[in-house]
Amino acid sequence: PGNVGYLIEMDGYAPDEGTENIDYVVVDSLNYAIKTPDTESKKYDANICATYIKAYLTDCINAIKGDDWNEVIALMDVNSFADTYIISEIVTNPDIDWSSFYFYKDKSGKLTSGPIWDFDLGAGNCNFDNDDQDFLYSSTKEIVAGEINIWYKNLLRFNEFKAIIVQKLSDYKSIILDIADELYLENPSGLYAIYKDSFERNFERWQMYGIVVYPSPRGMATINGVAAHLTYVKDWIISRYYYIVDYYS
């Protein structure tokens, strides 16, 4: 089973959708759905594949909970975990400890983080806990993904991983700020100039202005108009990026 590729999702809903040790495995009390290989085709034995990937994930978890960095990098593509961490931390993705957190492992390769997915509750657009539906996360909220996600939290115990984060934050600065620049209303080649009409039609179809749509916080409902939403996201990206840079420096 180690000579085939795997796509795995940390998915809290896995027990409702499949059978343990066939469709998903449990590692350190978390559920991991096996998306590929396609065992339903009978080309691969589902139980053998599940046994293999469960053992590999267990080895990785044990490694990041240990103190041997060389053991970690022997099993995992740590650069990919650093990339997805930075993205997840910028958007403060609240799903990151529950579902839609993906890994893949190529034939005889290391465990790799990605692809990224499902950020609809990011950038402050979530509040499951507060009765008043005020904002739970702000762009200056202390580290989120690095605290609630078991993989990032343990990797961040290593100074070597923190050093990768610091370097990538520097390397990606222009890319991240270029993304924010796409959201400037005055940018003639930005998203507002190009897609304004499409954005407007979206909000005509889905009436959300002034309406609290659970689990969006009340504050999100006060952002009226496409221009205001784009400006909100732009400001979030810039503020959050510099907050994380300061945090790790």
Side-chain angles (χ1 to χ4, degrees):
N3 61 353
V4 300
Y6 291 82
L7 176 64
I8 308 297
E9 178 194 4
M10 179 195 289
D11 182 10
Y13 300 106
D16 300 325
E17 301 169 352
T19 304
E20 185 175 356
N21 295 326
I22 293 180
D23 304 299
Y24 74 97
V25 295
V26 179
V27 178
D28 202 23
S29 301
L30 291 173
N31 303 306
Y32 295 89
I34 303 169
K35 300 297 186 179
T36 62
D38 178 15
T39 55
E40 291 184 0
S41 67
K42 307 302 181 183
K43 182 178 180 180
Y44 303 103
D45 185 285
N47 187 257
I48 292 176
C49 289
T51 299
Y52 171 81
I53 200 63
K54 179 176 183 176
Y56 199 96
L57 290 172
T58 300
D59 287 344
C60 290
I61 289 290
N62 289 339
I64 62 176
K65 287 188 172 182
D67 57 9
D68 188 342
W69 179 245
N70 288 326
E71 185 179 358
V72 174
I73 62 177
L75 295 167
M76 299 167 57
D77 180 343
V78 293
N79 280 293
S80 70
F81 278 85
D83 286 339
T84 59
Y85 170 70
I86 289 172
I87 296 169
S88 298
E89 198 65 81
I90 285 177
V91 299
T92 61
N93 180 17
D95 282 335
I96 205 68
D97 68 334
W98 173 256
S99 67
S100 300
F101 183 59
Y102 283 86
F103 315 85
Y104 64 91
K105 185 181 182 300
D106 289 332
K107 298 177 182 179
S108 303
K110 298 180 181 181
L111 187 70
T112 303
S113 183
I116 58 170
W117 184 250
D118 196 7
F119 287 170
D120 59 310
L121 300 181
N125 190 33
C126 175
N127 190 352
F128 289 119
D129 300 323
N130 289 3
D131 292 337
D132 62 2
Q133 283 289 287
D134 202 357
F135 282 94
L136 179 64
Y137 294 152
S138 71
S139 60
T140 55
K141 167 75 175 177
E142 193 165 326
I143 298 307
V144 174
E147 280 295 321
I148 67 176
N149 178 279
I150 187 175
W151 295 84
Y152 298 145
K153 183 175 183 177
N154 283 285
L155 282 167
L156 286 165
R157 295 170 47 248
F158 292 90
N159 290 330
E160 293 91 341
F161 189 70
K162 289 181 182 177
I164 295 173
I165 296 297
V166 170
Q167 185 60 55
K168 284 182 177 290
L169 285 169
S170 175
D171 293 343
Y172 294 157
K173 178 179 181 180
S174 61
I175 296 174
I176 293 170
L177 296 184
D178 282 348
I179 291 172
D181 186 62
E182 288 289 312
L183 299 170
Y184 273 94
L185 305 181
E186 298 81 8
N187 186 340
S189 59
L191 296 179
Y192 187 67
I194 298 173
Y195 299 111
K196 177 184 177 182
D197 292 342
S198 295
F199 293 155
E200 294 288 0
R201 286 196 296 273
N202 173 77
F203 285 102
E204 289 172 5
R205 175 62 181 85
W206 306 104
Q207 297 293 329
M208 298 178 66
Y209 296 146
I211 301 172
V212 177
V213 181
Y214 182 83
S216 294
R218 180 182 300 160
M220 197 64 69
T222 66
I223 305 174
N224 291 325
V226 170
H229 274 275
L230 289 174
T231 299
Y232 169 86
V233 177
K234 169 186 66 70
D235 292 344
W236 178 286
I237 291 172
I238 296 171
S239 175
R240 186 67 179 164
Y241 169 73
Y242 282 114
Y243 177 83
I244 297 169
V245 169
D246 290 342
Y247 183 91
Y248 282 107
S249 63

